[in-house]
Amino acid sequence: MGNVTECTNCTGCGACLCVCPVDAISMKESESGFLYPEIDEQKCTDCGLCKARCPILSYDSLIKSECRLCYAASASDEIRKNSSSGGVFSVLAEQIIKQHGYVCAAAFDENFILEHKITNDLNELGKFRGSKYLQSKAYVTYIQIEKLLKDKKKVLFVGTPCQVAGLKAFLKTDYETLFSVDIICHGVPSNKIFLKYLQEEISDVSNLKSFNFRDKKDCWNSELILSYELKNKDEKNYIKAKKSSYMCAFLQNLSLRKSCNSCPFTNTHRVSDITIGDFWGYKKDKRLKNDSKGLSVILLNSEKGTAFLSEVQANFNYIQKSNTKIAINGNIPLRMPFAAHKNSVQFFNNLDKMSLIENVKNCIDDRSDCAVINFWWSLNYGAALTAYALQEVINDLGKTCKIIDYKLPWVINLYKNSISENFAQKYLNLTGPCITDEDFAELNRKTEIFITGSDQVFRYKYIKYFFDKYLLGFANIDKKKIAAAGSFGIDCFECENEQDLDKIKQYFSSLDYVSVREKSGVSICRQLFNKNAEWILDPVFLIDRNKYEQMAAASKMNFNEKIVSYVLDENIEINKAYKYLQKKYDKDIVNIAKSGFSVEDWLCSIKNCDFFITDSYHGMCFALIFNKPFVCIVNKSRGKERFFSLLSYLNLENKAVDSVDELYDNDELFADIDYEHKINNQISEFKDMSVNWLKKALYSPKEVTKDDLIMKMNELNNEIITLKSEIDLMHKSNFLNKIFSVKKHRSGNTTHKVVCFLGIKIKFKSKR
Ligand SMILES: Cc1cc2nc3c(=O)[nH]c(=O)nc-3n(C[C@H](O)[C@H](O)[C@H](O)COP(=O)(O)OP(=O)(O)OC[C@H]3O[C@@H](n4cnc5c(N)ncnc54)[C@H](O)[C@@H]3O)c2cc1C
Ligand code: SF4
Ligand code: SF4
Ligand code: SF4
């Protein structure tokens, strides 16, 4: 039947948790602090109810209505003082409580955890007043609300549209006494981010008395101001939103929940009876009066909502009918969701690694410590995961990192909607597109360390036309340049072009730290480039295997009890070998090479298969990471050295064959691998050495060497030569103009052409 693990745009509404008949769902906090459902497979009966009721998975069947009427309104000054807009919430809430009903809305507890709470006490309304710009836990009230509704009590529920949708999806019944109000919603950061902000920039929460996200000290529609009070002091403290790291991150869409960036509720088909927000478009309606103390917009979406407003109309200080179009034009979330800031991935990656203020500043200034160039875009699982792993290990070592968005021109069309693009959007912290020299110059202004690697960034065949990029020729002289696990692919450097080789040697000499992925790379660097290089592991081994397991868990595919084949260069011989393996293991074989699977599916296939066969270097790496029995068919044209360098370090050379024929009746090839006592320890030792090398490279100071200066001088020299020849050309063309020119000359009604050759002028009468 399936369940809510299929919901990739989960809002955290919690409806699934409340409908599960066997309590198999709990809400777990992600690293960014947002809550997501987790299913206890032991308890789950696969009834499919959570999936059927999830308001995102069943969005089309949610009851929605188009907002029909629009009002501008404001409550008394007293109410508005502590309300974020015109105080509509309070007017509606008071009415419901006076009618012996209940109000459910968001309020902080004493630890500044935001949760929805239910009250029927007018005196308690104060704690609900005011917008709190973070996600509230609303689902904790759903069951109690249902009970009240079943008892025929009136209930006013106020929340974000996804919370209203969550409540309605849970209730399923359209209760006559439920009044639902949703707020126009920009999106939400997590409570974790807010607590980090309080702790780092405001106060320990134990000493915090109050926090107001929208203090109307000056007025409602001027600069946004926050305020707070401490328990041990009487005065109120004010902070301009633009000076608050938390608000900058919120308003610039760095810190929003992922679902907010593609929120399906940001339009005029509303799930509530009434929608409320700030009336930002008020200036466009001449009828409206704004006293700067707060003006709300009210959108009426249902008969019930319309009737409720006419009941309370007299309780407003000011109410005026307006135009729905004006409200929509003035408020973006009524038209579309806010796109995530381009550095949102970077923001969440670094949430626990640095202070909020530093993180936000880096993201907004678009700065990072490191920028990495490699083949992440090349429609290849290994390349994407290598880039990700390098980004993560650099982050783990305490440096911020971006992957340079530099793609070869001919892949740009293939890239759209590819596995690489989908992966990059989710997992890579990309720079802006780097195409022109100016883009690279801009990158230099925002980055201190440039890194090339890993993968075959040293293979001439692949970088022939772009070695200035892959060998970091674009990095300024004062920038640190690191090659991390660069691979030559084969055991030599196959460049025969002398000019290129000279240039490549110069680029190599200006690299500050060089490490290579294959052992043979060490001697290539020494002999050909006179450079000391360290042999280190491919970056995919340098991060916790957990990260890949989490990615694999996102796949819906099932590879249990299967042999998985990832062979890029298939042929008849391989197909015969598949039959042999099928028979040998008595298992089906799944060929994933041309499947178009996502990176998550690819990882899942290796992680969960019973046996793995591949001709891919990274296929082999992940078989090792997931401790799988495997065999490699060495792909010579793609680079044999890549396999044997690592396999011989692990004494596993016998797991690779040069040709398919060697597969048959080869007991050694299929013998068990002792991961537990041997291989994992060897990899772990090599990993420690590799991470230490990278750490040293990242943290050692940059020294500008004689080679750097010579190269810079050569570059400048070349630029001077080019400039000189351009100037010469200009002079020549001036001279040509002098000896030969054609001009038009007009006198009265007659036009002549004057041809001038070596100072002799000849006049022709022009034809009309
Ligand atoms: C996260 C967030 C984003 C918003 N984005 C916009 C926007 O882009 N444009 C716009 O016009 N208006 C936005 N609003 C709404 C606006 O800020 C006011 O909340 C709204 O106009 C109601 O104001 P009021 O004066 O009537 O009542 P207030 O007294 O300000 O009432 C606030 C009401 O909102 C509820 N509430 C407060 N915080 C939360 C929360 N985190 N989650 C769920 N419910 C909450 C309270 O429980 C209360 O019912 C947003 C509000 C929030 C909470
Ligand atoms: S499928 Fe059914 S039992 Fe399993 S988690 Fe969903 S609601 Fe619960
Ligand atoms: S959107 Fe709500 S119902 Fe759907 S999976 Fe997320 S928490 Fe569960
Ligand atoms: S933007 Fe959409 S998904 Fe995000 S909190 Fe608001 S309603 Fe929910």
Side-chain angles (χ1 to χ4, degrees), residues 371-374 404 440 443-444 448-453 457-458 463 466-477 479-484 503-504 506-508 510-514 702 708 711 715:
V372 178
I373 191 160
N374 52 35
I404 301 178
F440 281 95
L443 197 58
N444 270 283
E448 291 314 311
I449 304 172
F450 287 98
I451 300 174
T452 179
V457 289
F458 289 166
I463 59 167
F466 318 96
F467 56 76
D468 60 323
K469 299 289 182 299
Y470 284 99
L471 299 176
L472 307 179
F474 61 84
N476 289 349
I477 190 169
K479 304 291 169 182
K480 194 190 287 181
K481 294 175 216 158
I482 300 173
K503 195 82 198 144
I504 287 169
Q506 281 181 24
Y507 287 138
F508 256 93
S510 78
L511 294 175
D512 297 285
Y513 296 90
V514 180
K702 159 79 188 168
D708 289 326
M711 196 163 107
E715 268 173 24

Side-chain angles (χ1 to χ4, degrees), residues 79-80 82-90 103-107 114 116 127-136 138 158-160 163 183-189 214 216 250 276-280 295-297 330-333 338:
I79 287 179
R80 280 191 293 165
N82 297 315
S83 308
S84 294
S85 316
V88 174
F89 157 71
S90 298
V103 171
C104 177
L114 189 64
H116 268 57
K127 67 181 179 196
F128 297 111
R129 261 178 217 130
S131 300
K132 293 97 182 169
Y133 293 127
L134 58 141
Q135 187 160 35
S136 164
V158 187
T160 58
Q163 290 168 339
I183 50 186
I184 300 175
C185 184
H186 178 115
V188 285
R214 284 183 60 182
K216 292 182 179 162
F250 170 61
I276 57 175
D278 292 287
F279 208 132
W280 293 130
L295 187 63
S296 286
V297 62
N331 228 320
I332 292 175
F338 284 98

Side-chain angles (χ1 to χ4, degrees), residues 149-274:
L149 292 170
K150 282 187 172 158
D151 289 346
K152 308 258 181 297
K153 302 283 186 225
K154 277 192 175 177
V155 176
L156 172 72
F157 180 86
V158 187
T160 58
C162 59
Q163 290 168 339
V164 173
L167 172 66
K168 291 201 168 175
F170 161 70
L171 293 172
K172 217 170 162 214
T173 313
D174 183 13
Y175 288 96
E176 195 43 46
T177 54
L178 173 69
F179 296 83
S180 57
V181 174
D182 64 355
I183 50 186
I184 300 175
C185 184
H186 178 115
V188 285
S190 67
N191 215 138
K192 171 178 167 172
I193 305 173
F194 180 59
L195 290 178
K196 182 176 167 75
Y197 168 67
L198 292 181
Q199 194 63 41
E200 290 177 357
E201 294 173 48
I202 304 297
S203 149
D204 194 294
V205 287
S206 60
N207 192 31
L208 189 61
K209 191 155 85 187
S210 70
F211 191 94
N212 186 346
F213 287 81
R214 284 183 60 182
D215 196 292
K216 292 182 179 162
K217 176 175 161 288
D218 295 331
C219 70
W220 159 71
N221 50 332
S222 68
E223 192 179 6
L224 189 56
I225 292 188
L226 320 177
S227 71
Y228 65 91
E229 290 168 293
L230 297 177
K231 285 183 184 160
N232 54 5
K233 287 199 184 128
D234 280 341
E235 84 258 24
K236 221 176 189 186
N237 304 279
Y238 297 96
I239 311 167
K240 291 180 176 176
K242 65 179 178 208
K243 300 267 179 203
S244 152
S245 63
Y246 183 82
M247 287 307 283
C248 288
F250 170 61
L251 294 170
Q252 301 214 29
N253 312 318
L254 267 173
S255 55
L256 303 185
R257 188 178 174 114
K258 205 174 120 244
S259 56
C260 301
N261 304 127
S262 48
C263 174
F265 305 106
T266 45
N267 51 48
T268 49
H269 308 288
R270 309 302 292 185
V271 283
S272 63
D273 299 308
I274 298 178

